[in-house]
Amino acid sequence: MGKPNKRTGEGGNMKHGASRILFEYWDEIRAERPAPDRGDIQPSAIKSVLGDTFILELAQQNNFRFRLAGTRLCSLFCRELKGRSFLDGWDEKDQQAVTAMLSAITQDGAAAVISFTGTTEMGQSVDLELLLLPIRVQGEGCTRILGCMAPLKRPFWLGVQAISKQKVNSLRLIWPDEDAPLFSDENDCVPHFGTPTHRAVSSMEPRVSRGTHLQRSAVPKAVEIPNSRQVGHLRVVDGGKI
C-alpha cells in the first residue's frame, strides 16, 4: 500500500499519532454507516489512546458536556473534566466556530480536526490537536461525540500548570465517505508515546474528505477567494481534494 499523499495548508491533516489511531478505529467499526453505535466502541481496542480520549454528550441544543475523559486529557487542565462544558475556555468568537463544527458533526455526520493553542494563567502555551467523531445512540441519533486531544509537543510544565484558555488556529470538517488523503506523511507525524509513526498510516487507506476548511484568514478583505466565505473571524474554504 502506498504512502498517503500529504495535504498542503495548515490544519488540513492529522499530525498526532493518537488522532490517527482513533480515526482508524472509528472508521473500521462504523463500516459503511455514517457513524458507529455507542455500543460498538470497545475501550480495550483503543487502550493505547484511552488517556487522551473523551466522549461528549449533547445534553440540549448547543450544550456539549464531557461524559467521559481520559487521565492524560484531564491532566492537561489539572482537573476532572466529566460534566464540564466543552465550550469552556474558548473566547466568544471561537465558541461560535467550534459550536458550528459540533452541530455539523451531530446533525450531518461529519468528523472534524481542530488545531488550537492552549495557554496557562502563567502565559505558557502549547499547540494541540483535537479530533471529533460522531457516535450514534439508539433512538437519539448522533448525540455523542468520540474524540481525542493531545499536544504536538510535551513541554516540561504540562500537567503542572493548567491550560485555561484555548485559541483556534484552524478547523476542518471531514466527510469520511469521499476519497482524498487525510494524514500527513510519516516525517510530519507526531508519534503517540512511542507508538511507531507508521502504525495507522500503513494499515489504513483513509476514505476522506470533501472538506470544509476553516482557518484564521490573513487575506485582505479586498482579495476575492473562489469558493470561500467569511464566518465570523474565520474564512471558510469549501473544497475537494487539496
Side-chain angles (χ1 to χ4, degrees):
M1 181 180 297
K3 183 169 65 175
N5 295 324
K6 179 180 178 181
R7 284 187 183 277
T8 57
E10 181 185 9
N13 46 39
M14 296 181 201
K15 296 181 178 179
H16 202 284
S19 300
R20 298 177 179 217
I21 292 169
L22 190 63
F23 183 91
E24 179 185 25
Y25 175 71
W26 173 86
D27 193 56
E28 178 183 358
I29 64 174
R30 78 183 178 94
E32 300 302 319
R33 299 169 296 174
D37 291 335
R38 174 66 180 88
D40 295 333
I41 300 172
Q42 300 298 323
S44 60
I46 50 172
K47 59 183 179 181
S48 66
V49 297
L50 276 181
D52 309 294
T53 302
F54 60 87
I55 291 179
L56 300 180
E57 177 181 20
L58 176 59
Q60 49 187 295
Q61 186 176 9
N62 295 333
N63 182 4
F64 295 87
R65 296 191 174 275
F66 286 96
R67 186 176 179 89
L68 296 171
T71 53
R72 283 192 296 266
L73 178 56
C74 291
S75 73
L76 296 178
F77 299 90
C78 298
R79 71 181 74 177
E80 172 60 57
L81 294 178
K82 184 177 180 180
R84 182 188 180 200
S85 172
F86 182 75
L87 296 175
D88 287 353
W90 309 98
D91 65 25
E92 183 177 356
K93 291 182 178 180
D94 280 354
Q95 278 191 8
Q96 295 173 3
V98 172
T99 298
M101 300 290 279
L102 294 170
S103 295
I105 294 168
T106 56
Q107 295 176 20
D108 301 324
V113 180
I114 299 177
S115 169
F116 72 98
T117 299
T119 306
T120 71
E121 294 292 346
M122 300 294 290
Q124 303 277 16
S125 64
V126 60
D127 291 330
L128 302 101
E129 182 171 85
L130 171 63
L131 173 67
L132 299 166
L133 305 164
I135 298 293
R136 286 179 50 82
V137 176
Q138 292 292 334
E140 297 181 13
C142 292
T143 58
R144 301 284 192 278
I145 294 176
L146 174 67
C148 68
M149 184 189 301
L152 298 181
K153 293 184 179 179
R154 298 192 67 84
F156 70 92
W157 52 265
L158 207 64
V160 177
Q161 296 184 33
I163 292 174
S164 57
K165 297 179 181 178
Q166 297 116 237
K167 182 178 181 181
V168 170
N169 298 320
S170 68
L171 310 93
R172 188 174 187 88
L173 286 178
I174 301 168
W175 304 95
D177 288 327
E178 295 200 9
D179 294 331
L182 175 63
F183 301 129
S184 303
D185 65 25
E186 294 184 18
N187 293 329
D188 286 343
C189 178
V190 179
H192 176 66
F193 297 99
T195 301
T197 302
H198 64 271
R199 172 174 175 174
V201 178
S202 62
S203 60
M204 174 192 177
E205 188 174 73
R207 300 171 295 166
V208 188
S209 121
R210 181 182 72 215
T212 298
H213 188 192
L214 297 82
Q215 68 179 28
R216 293 180 181 274
S217 175
V219 181
K221 292 183 179 179
V223 177
E224 292 293 332
I225 301 178
N227 302 320
S228 69
R229 63 189 185 279
Q230 195 73 27
V231 178
H233 66 307
L234 301 172
R235 180 161 292 277
V236 182
V237 181
D238 297 319
K241 299 179 182 180
I242 296 177

